[in-house]
Structure formats: C-alpha cells, structure tokens
Amino acid sequence: MKKTAISLLITSLSLSPMTFAMNDTPTDAELTGQRVYHHMENMVSFMNDHGLNNFDLPGLADHTWDVITPALDHIYAKAMLDVTNGPIEVTVPPRDAERYASFHLVDAEHFALFHKVTPVEGGTYQVVRSGADYDIPEGNFIDTLEVNDDLIFAFIRVQTFEYRDDGGADEWRKQLVINNSAPASELELPNSDNVRDVIRFADEISDGWEQTQENMQRIIEDENFDQERLAEVRRQVHKIGSSGLVVNNLSGFEHPGHLDDLSDERRRSVVTHLGHLGFPAEHAYYEMIPMTPEGKKLNGSEDFVLTMPHDQAVAKFWSVTRYSDETRLPLDPATIGGSDRQVWAGGNTTPDENGNITITFSSKNLNNGTYWMPVVDGDDYYFIVRYYLPQEGLAGNTVQSILYEGSPLENLMAPKTSFNYGN
C-alpha cells in the first residue's frame, strides 16, 4: 500500500489525521477486545431474549436495527446452540433451486467456523463439541460439525427477491427445526455493560485460538479497558473504516490459520465493526464503496452514477445496498421521500443493450431510465456490493476494479484477486 495514496486519500476526505496520539492508538489487544465484545455483547443480549436452542426469526432489516450494515437481499434465522451436554441437530427444509439459503456457524471470537449453501433437498446438520465425552450418534446427516465452543451461534440466511417482500423466504425459515439430545445448560450471563466480563465469558465458553489467546488474556486483565476506552477504540475503528483503508472482507471473518487470514487485528476489528456476522470472502465477497475515484466521500449533495455488468461470475447472485455513513444502517424512508428502495440486485434488474445496468445515487429521482437509489441531500453514505459464491472469473471484474482502475486510489482500493469457492 503506497504512502502517497494513503496521504492523498486522507487529505481528500478531510478526515482527522490517521496518526493518533500514542496513548489513543488502539493496541492489538484492544482491537481484539473491541471485536470480541462487539460480537459477544450481541450474543449475550440474544440469549437473554431467546435462550438456547431456539430460533429467532427477525423481521426484515431496516433503519431501526441494532446489527450494522445488514444485508437486505435475504432474511435471517438465528439461534445460540448449546453443545455442552449433547449433540444438536439442525434440520433445514427443501428449497427452490433458484433460492439461495445457507448454514453458518460463528464462534465466540466472531470467526466463521462453517458456511455452506443448504442442499436443495434439505436435511439435518449435527453439531457436536470437540472433545466432549458424550456419545455422538450416527445417521444420515448433511454433515457432522465439531466446534471448539460450548455455545455456538447458528446463522441461517434465505434469499428474498425484493426488499421488504419475504414471500417464500419466510415460509422456508418457519420450517427450521432444532433438536437437542440433552437439557440446555443453566448459564450465568455476564452484565453486558461490563466490557471485560463479557470478553471473559467469551473466553470461558471457547477453547479459543492460539493466535489470539495472548491478546484475549491481556485485555481481560487490563483494568483500564472499560466502556470509556471501548468507545474511544470504536471511534478509531470507525474512522479507519470510513477512510477506505479497509474496503472489502478479505481477511476478517476467516478463522486464524485460514488461507485468506492475514492475522491483522486492525482489519479484523474494522471488518467486524462494519458488518457483524459476515461471511468469509470465499462464500460471499463484499466490497465497500465509500468514495468516488477522485477520493471524495460519497455524499447526497452530488449525484453518483455506477455502471456495471449485469452478468457477474457468481454461482448465486449479487446485490448493491446503500447505507448511512453515520448509522451504518439502511436509510429511514422518511428521509428519502417515503421510498423503500434500499437494494438493487441481479434478480430485480435487467441488463441494457450493452449487458450493463446503471444505478444513479441521487437525492431526487431523475427519471432518466437508470435504476434510482435514493440518498439524503448533504448526508454521507456508502454502498456494499455483495457477490454470493464468487467464481474465478470475478477477479478483476468487480465494482472496485471498474471504479478505481487507473485512478489515484487504485492501489488503495484494491479488490481481492482470486476466488476459489468450491460449490
């Protein structure tokens, strides 16, 4: 990454300097703590509300959500699985071949342990605790998954074809079933306001990772890592994310030792903060677009036009979703004239005579034949392009490649260069 490009970016964005006073610069341990707390505080809240081994079927994401940068091209089913005392079975129903659905397991440190598209014919996954002394039954399972956590978060996605139209997706997720062979554990959950207690809880329910264990212990023992310090670390992380220094999900959700993992705590922390419970890039590649090729932050005071090929090298689908830079959430319809338009995708657009689609980000509907993405005049925003099951041909043809190739930001806004998703 060239220093000249970074300097140009920082100057053009008119951000506060990225070189902070030494005592304000987050350490790797603090970045780990911010990442783990951000995830586990959400998990503690989830368990308080929904317990263990129960699916929550939340409504479609909108501007009121507490999970930042939510995808709007599918709806979710969530459950905290307790594999302490016995195996858990999760049964997924059959689905239409054209409708994407996936099964995703996330550990206590917010690393993806498993992520696969569910079989068209449906079936049952078995989840077991690695090293447990209970019997593990044999059966006709899709897979038997060993995890190194007592409690593991199951995150199931099912594709919608229009924002705020759940249709068959909602019916599909209502057929999900959890069977547990042993009673759920009686837990004493930490106070969510106590930062170090939440991180300590994450450490206690998981075997953890050799690569992050030292950072975990340091932050648990750091009496100065309280809500005030956490807030400062979050401000610095948000500043890094808004600057464009981390612009895709290459490394961040992958577990330590994964082929794509860079063991970069700054990147892991920023990616987690920008998108909770995200996929590794090999399953769904996300590109964040926060600025023009000239380095100006995207702002509703100026129209921005994106032209991209409609057909993408993906085994499933792609989408473009816009978010408020301030809240990192979809826009409040009241701020965009009552419009519910938050996402455009391959399934709700058609190519022009050149095989492209054009999306115009504007505070007004120009009625010019392009797809209108409403934004708020004067407000900063960014958009995320998601590619589900990216294939080899996607490299070099993503939106970041199209927008920033040949620009002063080309080396900074560098997209992933290879994809190897296997199914």
Side-chain angles (χ1 to χ4, degrees), residues 41-88:
E41 186 269 341
N42 188 284
M43 297 298 96
V44 168
S45 176
F46 181 90
M47 286 184 282
N48 273 319
D49 291 342
H50 305 289
L52 299 171
N53 305 330
N54 298 307
F55 271 121
D56 172 42
L57 307 179
L60 293 167
D62 62 17
H63 66 284
T64 67
W65 265 43
D66 57 354
V67 177
I68 55 179
T69 318
L72 305 178
D73 40 43
H74 48 248
I75 52 177
Y76 307 125
K78 308 176 182 182
M80 184 63 84
L81 307 180
D82 178 10
V83 294
T84 309
N85 304 311
I88 294 289

Side-chain angles (χ1 to χ4, degrees), residues 127-170:
V127 187
V128 300
R129 180 62 159 97
S130 177
D133 60 2
Y134 50 70
D135 293 333
I136 300 174
E138 296 182 0
N140 186 25
F141 299 111
I142 301 170
D143 210 338
T144 294
L145 308 171
E146 286 195 11
V147 299
N148 292 327
D149 294 51
D150 299 331
L151 310 174
I152 193 77
F153 194 68
F155 196 32
I156 294 179
R157 298 161 168 88
V158 57
Q159 182 183 3
T160 60
F161 296 107
E162 269 294 342
Y163 179 61
R164 305 221 66 80
D165 177 15
D166 48 36
D170 189 41

Side-chain angles (χ1 to χ4, degrees), residues 1 5-6 9-10 12-13 15 18 236-248 266-267 270 274 288-292 295 297 325 382 400 404 409-415:
M1 191 177 293
I6 294 175
L9 174 62
I10 293 169
S12 63
L13 290 179
L15 291 176
M18 295 295 294
Q236 309 295 15
V237 168
H238 180 63
K239 202 174 289 187
I240 296 169
S242 295
S243 75
L245 294 178
V246 177
V247 292
N248 56 51
R266 183 178 70 165
R267 172 175 280 273
V270 171
L274 289 175
M288 177 184 180
I289 310 297
M291 66 194 77
T292 70
K297 289 201 75 172
D325 183 68
Y382 62 95
Q400 282 182 353
Y404 300 113
L409 303 181
E410 181 177 14
N411 291 328
L412 187 64
M413 308 291 285

